[in-house]
């Protein structure tokens, strides 16, 4: 009778422990899961994938030319565990479809059951123009926001970068391509509206609108605020 009782208690404890481990793993996976996955900086030979996580984690992507062969990896450029993540893949072939999955915290994640897909653009000559904008991102207390994701939309394919240790960022607007990626976007420094969004998980988000002529540099972008710089003089 004692032996049967001990055996029963052992089985019950094993079932409870197994359920606890499963719940713990599901909770950890939810914290490490990539959110707000964005694909930017698409050219004929490269693209950038970025995302955020609810927990500071390490990340990388697995990619290839088919969903069943994601044999190449590229590491997160942030370096170390972080809430924000960005990976730039280079050396690709023009006008070619690529698929990727995100590994976050040692777990593989896809896009609702399938890999994310991007297609590189056609090969085009380098832009003869150079339009650069820059700025800084600050926390509400005035400290620099490090490793924030900065997204720029100028009406074509979106472009992105990250902030440095002092919160600064720089982007070459003239590298932006139009929606079909077959030509560079025409930039009018006084008339092309630049929309800036910042993701600085967990410190918050921010946005701004400005014209290129007034964005050298953009006034400091404060997390938690929506900035309208359209009326700033060049």
């Amino acid at each position: 009778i004692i032996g049967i009782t001990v055996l029963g208690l052992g089985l019950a404890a094993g079932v409870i422990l197994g359920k606890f481990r499963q719940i713990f793993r599901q909770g950890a996976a939810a914290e490490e899961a990539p959110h707000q996955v964005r694909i930017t900086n698409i050219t004929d030979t490269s693209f950038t994938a970025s995302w955020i996580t609810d927990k500071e984690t390490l990340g990388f992507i697995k990619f290839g030319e088919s969903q069943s062969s994601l044999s190449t990896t590229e590491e997160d450029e942030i370096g170390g565990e972080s809430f924000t993540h960005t990976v730039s893949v280079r050396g690709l072939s023009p006008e070619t479809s690529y698929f990727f999955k995100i590994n976050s915290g040692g777990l593989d994640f896809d896009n609702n059951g399938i890999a994310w897909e991007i297609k590189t653009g056609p090969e085009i000559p380098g832009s003869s123009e150079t339009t650069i904008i820059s700025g800084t991102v600050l926390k509400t207390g005035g400290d620099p926001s490090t490793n924030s994701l900065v997204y720029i939309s100028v009406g074509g394919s979106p472009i992105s970068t990250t902030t440095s240790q002092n919160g600064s960022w720089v982007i070459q607007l003239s590298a932006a391509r139009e929606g079909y990626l077959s030509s560079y976007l025409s930039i009018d420094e006084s008339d092309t509206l630049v929309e800036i969004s910042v993701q600085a998980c967990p410190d918050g988000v921010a946005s701004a609108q400005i014209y290129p002529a007034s964005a050298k540099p953009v006034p400091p972008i404060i997390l938690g605020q929506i900035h309208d710089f359209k009326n700033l003089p060049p």
Side-chain angles (χ1 to χ4, degrees):
I1 293 174
I2 294 174
I4 292 173
T5 302
V6 172
L7 180 61
L9 291 173
L11 289 173
V15 171
I16 293 172
L17 182 60
K19 289 184 177 179
F20 175 78
R21 286 177 176 173
Q22 184 177 11
I23 292 172
F24 178 80
R25 182 172 177 81
Q26 288 174 346
E31 289 184 324
E32 294 164 344
H35 304 295
Q36 300 186 31
V37 178
R38 300 193 193 186
I39 301 173
T40 57
N41 303 337
I42 304 175
T43 71
D44 52 329
T45 60
S46 63
F47 72 89
T48 298
S50 59
W51 66 93
I52 62 173
T53 50
D54 295 331
K55 174 185 177 182
E56 288 184 294
T57 61
L58 296 173
F60 62 91
I61 69 171
K62 303 176 178 179
F63 70 95
E65 294 187 24
S66 71
Q67 294 201 53
S68 59
S69 180
L70 307 179
S71 57
T72 308
T73 61
E74 194 69 43
E75 298 292 330
D76 189 349
E77 295 175 16
I78 297 295
E81 296 183 343
S82 177
F83 292 101
T84 55
H85 310 268
T86 183
V87 177
S88 293
V89 181
R90 300 178 177 86
L92 305 178
S93 300
E95 299 184 271
T96 303
S97 292
Y98 289 89
F99 302 85
F100 70 89
K101 292 183 180 181
I102 296 173
N103 185 286
S104 179
L107 302 173
D108 285 342
F109 295 90
D110 56 29
N111 185 21
N112 295 319
I114 59 174
W116 282 274
E117 179 181 1
I118 73 102
K119 185 176 182 180
T120 53
E123 187 175 1
I124 58 177
S127 175
S128 59
E129 299 181 2
T130 301
T131 303
I132 295 174
I133 64 172
S134 62
T136 57
V137 178
L138 302 177
K139 299 178 183 180
T140 53
D143 293 330
S145 179
T146 302
N147 294 332
S148 296
L149 302 173
V150 180
Y151 298 99
I152 305 292
S153 175
V154 284
S157 179
I159 50 182
S160 68
T161 188
T162 57
T163 58
S164 65
Q165 292 295 317
N166 63 0
S168 64
W169 56 270
V170 178
I171 275 186
Q172 185 176 341
L173 275 188
S174 49
R177 297 194 181 197
E178 49 80 32
Y180 294 101
L181 306 175
S182 57
S183 63
Y184 292 106
L185 197 66
S186 177
I187 303 292
D188 185 327
E189 294 213 7
S190 61
D191 193 51
T192 299
L193 183 62
V194 177
E195 295 184 278
I196 306 170
S197 62
V198 179
Q199 174 56 261
C201 181
D203 295 321
V205 298
S207 65
Q209 291 184 324
I210 196 169
Y211 293 106
S214 307
K216 303 173 183 181
V218 177
I221 296 175
I222 311 301
L223 294 177
Q225 297 186 20
I226 298 174
H227 302 274
D228 186 349
F229 298 133
K230 295 194 298 291
N231 293 325
L232 285 181

